[in-house]
Amino acid sequence: MTITAAALQLAFTDDMDADIAATVAAVRDAAGRGAQVILPPELFQGYYFCRHEHDRFFARAFPTPSHPSVIAMQAVAKETGTYIPCSFFEADGPHYYNSLAMIDRRGDVMGVYRKSHIPDGPGYEEKFYFRPGNTGFKVWDTDHGRIGVGICWDQWFPESARAMMLMGAEILFYPTAIGSEPAEPNLDTRRMWIRAMIGHAVSNVVPVVAANRTGVEEDQRFYGNSFIADQRGDIVDELPTDEQGAVVATFDLAEVRANRASFGFFRDRRPDLYARLAQDI
């Protein structure tokens, strides 16, 4: 079985209708290049609003069935026959989450994942808006293999990737919003981010797909550099910082599975020694 995956890299205007429409167009373009699973960036309905703490931004959240991003991705998934992990700002009664709706090729929502790890720091003040996810990690069976999806800050935690692998994931997807650090203008975390993600690919022998936004939003520049790495950690397609578009790659999952078995990482695991990992510091 093969899977052709794509990650979209877009700059946003903060006009929700325009930004969602641009994402729809990018999905169509990626589907035209043969992509079967297409990953937009994190919270693509507009600017990354979490750089501020303002109660007015809660108006950007909607329940899953009525969220404009989810509705638009359902329509284009059905139109193109593709699977779309759709990041969105979810309202659930009085609770708010940074969530992802997994949409199948018929346009149906297969399930929702709520971001497990919520960052808090200058320019990325997500704890003001989002509760920690209560869904646990998720994987989904598609016509093209079983996929796992984490959201942005989840990608810095090796436990997230390993948990999805132990649930049978065959390829990992991460929608992302990462860029400059407003409080530390000389700190460039781009290379750290890429190395962390490649580490997941290598230590789990699994392809990794990363979709980031690009462009300048107020005084914050997003890194772009969306990429796809293969199961050996080699980048097989990537975009530079300022370019919009899609990265696309095809993987033979039987070959990936054989590579994973031959490396022996899962054979040689010692869960009997790992109890400390589940304890608070």
Side-chain angles (χ1 to χ4, degrees), residues 8-10 176-180 190 193-194 210-215 221-227 238-244:
L8 308 181
Q9 181 165 296
L10 298 165
T176 299
I178 182 171
S180 61
R190 173 190 347 238
W193 166 63
I194 293 171
N212 193 21
R213 61 179 60 210
T214 185
R221 175 177 290 278
F222 287 89
Y223 291 148
N225 287 122
S226 300
F227 69 92
E238 62 183 326
L239 284 169
T241 293
D242 296 322
E243 186 176 324
Q244 299 190 65

Side-chain angles (χ1 to χ4, degrees), residues 136-141 146 160-169:
F137 300 114
K138 295 273 194 176
V139 298
W140 286 279
D141 288 316
R146 178 173 286 191
S160 302
R162 180 53 58 90
M164 290 187 283
M165 294 303 297
L166 292 173
M167 297 167 70

Side-chain angles (χ1 to χ4, degrees), residues 134-233:
N134 57 6
T135 60
F137 300 114
K138 295 273 194 176
V139 298
W140 286 279
D141 288 316
T142 75
D143 292 339
H144 316 291
R146 178 173 286 191
I147 72 171
V149 186
I151 302 174
C152 200
W153 194 230
D154 290 333
Q155 68 204 356
W156 293 91
F157 294 82
E159 297 89 347
S160 302
R162 180 53 58 90
M164 290 187 283
M165 294 303 297
L166 292 173
M167 297 167 70
E170 298 176 285
I171 182 169
L172 300 179
F173 292 78
Y174 292 95
T176 299
I178 182 171
S180 61
E181 302 287 337
E184 297 185 67
N186 295 321
L187 175 60
D188 185 341
T189 57
R190 173 190 347 238
R191 292 186 298 276
M192 295 168 58
W193 166 63
I194 293 171
R195 285 195 294 265
M197 298 284 274
I198 288 175
H200 302 326
V202 172
S203 60
N204 292 288
V205 195
V206 67
V208 169
V209 181
N212 193 21
R213 61 179 60 210
T214 185
V216 177
E217 300 178 9
E218 299 182 33
D219 60 350
Q220 192 169 19
R221 175 177 290 278
F222 287 89
Y223 291 148
N225 287 122
S226 300
F227 69 92
I228 299 176
D230 68 13
Q231 68 271 21
R232 291 190 170 92

Side-chain angles (χ1 to χ4, degrees), residues 72-88:
M73 291 303 106
Q74 286 181 279
V76 75
K78 183 176 181 179
E79 172 194 326
T80 58
T82 58
Y83 291 79
I84 302 175
C86 171
S87 172
F88 70 105

Side-chain angles (χ1 to χ4, degrees), residues 4-88:
T4 301
L8 308 181
Q9 181 165 296
L10 298 165
F12 300 108
T13 66
D14 214 32
D15 177 323
M16 184 174 68
D17 292 340
D19 289 334
I20 292 174
T23 307
V24 168
V27 168
R28 290 188 180 119
D29 288 344
R33 294 172 60 186
Q36 298 160 325
V37 183
I38 302 171
L39 180 69
E42 182 184 21
L43 299 172
F44 60 83
Q45 71 189 87
Y47 279 179
Y48 177 74
F49 57 88
C50 306
R51 64 191 312 279
H52 302 292
E53 292 188 3
H54 290 309
D55 56 8
R56 68 177 182 272
F57 289 124
F58 286 102
R60 298 189 177 203
F62 299 84
T64 304
S66 59
H67 198 289
S69 294
V70 176
I71 292 169
M73 291 303 106
Q74 286 181 279
V76 75
K78 183 176 181 179
E79 172 194 326
T80 58
T82 58
Y83 291 79
I84 302 175
C86 171
S87 172
F88 70 105

